[in-house]
Amino acid sequence: AAAATISFSLLAGNAAAVAAVEQPSEICRGQDDGREVEVKAEAVTNEQLVEEAWEVVNEGFLPDAGSRPWSPELWMQRKQDILQGSIKSRSRAHDIITKMLASLGDPYTRFLSSSDFSKMSKYDMTGIGLNLREIPDDNGSLRLVVLGLILDGPAHSAGVRQGDELLSVNGIDIRGKSAFDVSSMLQGPKETFVTIKVKHDSCGPVESMKVQRQMAARTPIFYRLEKRDNENSSVGYIHIKEFNAVAKKDLVSALKRLQNSGASYFVLDLRDNLGGLVQAGIEIAKLFLNKGDTVIYTTGRDRQVQNTIVADSGPLVTTPVMVLVNNRTASASEIVASALHDNCKAVLVGERTFGKGLIQSVFELHDGSGIVVTVGKYVTPNHKDINGDGIEPDYRRLPDLNEARDYLSRCQSKKLS
């Protein structure tokens, strides 16, 4: 299952590409030749399709996500009621699935037609028109495989095909790296080139390609150095409009420039930031935390959803941080705000946040359609449920630097006691 809410423009146009073919370094067995073999989706009956969607909810749906009572017993009764008679057509099966999911009372759990599912799998995080999926290999490490391609986009025009494995970016071996990290590596200014190496199919040749970027994610980071009234020190003001594939890279650059220019502390403005890529928010939160600090907890019925995410290195900045929030600060923004606040790295200023702390996964059904299901939720390092309640700020108005320092010092003392 792929899980993300992404808002990127799709690519169009041709790419300039230079390709060099290498012979595969390993001998593949089990195929007569190197020709592509088209594998058709297994045929399923209308009843089986409905039951498949029912089973996804039965195994992973988060019960308290919906506005109506849910239990395995009630859900089993729902299936028995639905499957009493035959389902005459595929469109009728889709209607039944749509109504079945709507009965949960969760606005985020919904049906996707095959065309909508296809569009979702082809959102571009890379700037070259492809979407990557992490697949564990036999040794437990990650392989990155092309999940979706923009037709006639840069990667597609260069010869990349769905199912290809990405091996390197600009000569850097990407084995073991996450899809998010590699997507950020692929990003760059429009009309610049990136060199990628891919392996076609599981047993095909390895090919190096020089691909011209046609569209890059716009920077969501805006910053300036300013002085506040009645303060001698300078403050680095940073506004993050959304969390996308270049947010972390551009924030690191902004923090370093502001520090070198004399910033004594930072104001991080997350007002009206509705989220974006959750992983980008997590990586940005880590920039301010000590190694081992908890960023966020994820909980759900499925053990794969239950996780504790921690910072894996020391902070980039150690000066005080004030985070501005309002009632449109949501999702990934709330993860950042709570991580910095609960670890005594920042004071929160403004209004209570929106309260969007649910996790959705996207599942493909056997006929090419799909369903989005709420499977978990985010819980802050202080074990508070973000969803519905939001996060209450420490101050309504921006405190002065000394007041913020005193607050964070008391927070640290309380944390250690």
Side-chain angles (χ1 to χ4, degrees), residues 361-373:
S361 286
V362 184
F363 299 87
E364 184 175 17
L365 303 179
H366 269 86
D367 71 339
S369 62
I371 59 175
V372 181
V373 179

Side-chain angles (χ1 to χ4, degrees), residues 97-280:
I97 293 171
T98 300
K99 292 176 182 177
M100 179 176 70
L101 299 180
S103 73
L104 297 169
D106 173 23
Y108 303 108
T109 296
R110 61 197 187 276
F111 173 74
L112 298 173
S113 66
S114 57
S115 60
D116 287 340
F117 180 84
S118 177
K119 290 174 185 176
M120 181 168 285
S121 74
K122 294 177 181 178
Y123 276 120
D124 179 38
M125 289 175 54
T126 65
I128 61 172
L130 58 80
N131 193 12
L132 298 169
R133 180 179 185 179
E134 298 172 3
I135 296 180
D137 62 17
D138 294 337
N139 299 320
S141 60
L142 291 178
R143 297 167 52 238
L144 293 182
V145 174
V146 176
L147 172 65
L149 278 165
I150 307 302
L151 187 64
D152 295 328
H156 181 264
S157 298
V160 180
R161 294 295 177 260
Q162 191 163 346
D164 287 356
E165 180 183 356
L166 185 61
L167 302 177
S168 70
V169 176
N170 287 332
I172 300 173
D173 189 334
I174 54 88
R175 283 177 295 184
K177 295 184 181 294
S178 70
F180 175 81
D181 287 338
V182 173
S183 295
S184 298
M185 292 168 65
L186 291 167
Q187 283 279 357
K190 184 179 179 180
E191 297 184 356
T192 59
F193 287 87
V194 60
T195 301
I196 62 174
K197 184 182 289 186
V198 300
K199 182 178 182 181
H200 297 296
D201 303 318
S202 59
C203 295
V206 172
E207 187 174 0
S208 291
M209 305 171 180
K210 189 176 181 181
V211 185
Q212 187 177 28
R213 302 176 176 105
Q214 294 296 301
M215 183 177 292
R218 294 180 179 179
T219 181
I221 307 295
F222 301 89
Y223 63 96
R224 63 180 181 268
L225 188 71
E226 59 183 39
K227 285 203 171 186
R228 292 175 61 191
D229 294 338
N230 303 321
E231 282 190 7
N232 294 323
S233 53
S234 297
V235 54
Y237 173 85
I238 304 174
H239 181 203
I240 305 179
K241 294 183 67 175
E242 66 171 344
F243 295 98
N244 64 16
V246 299
K248 177 187 175 183
K249 179 175 63 176
D250 290 353
L251 178 59
V252 168
S253 176
L255 289 169
K256 289 180 177 178
R257 288 186 177 184
L258 290 169
Q259 275 189 315
N260 293 337
S261 299
S264 300
Y265 66 104
F266 294 95
V267 171
L268 200 62
D269 192 347
L270 299 181
R271 291 174 298 182
D272 300 319
N273 185 330
L274 295 175
L277 296 179
V278 168
Q279 189 61 39

Side-chain angles (χ1 to χ4, degrees), residues 46-83:
N46 297 322
E47 291 78 12
Q48 287 172 328
L49 190 72
V50 171
E51 188 166 1
E52 184 182 10
W54 178 92
E55 187 64 38
V56 171
V57 174
N58 188 58
E59 290 183 356
F61 178 67
L62 185 71
D64 54 0
S67 60
R68 296 162 192 165
W70 189 93
S71 69
E73 294 76 21
L74 289 172
W75 194 238
M76 177 62 73
Q77 183 61 52
R78 181 78 179 170
K79 181 177 79 167
Q80 292 171 351
D81 293 343
I82 289 171
L83 296 178

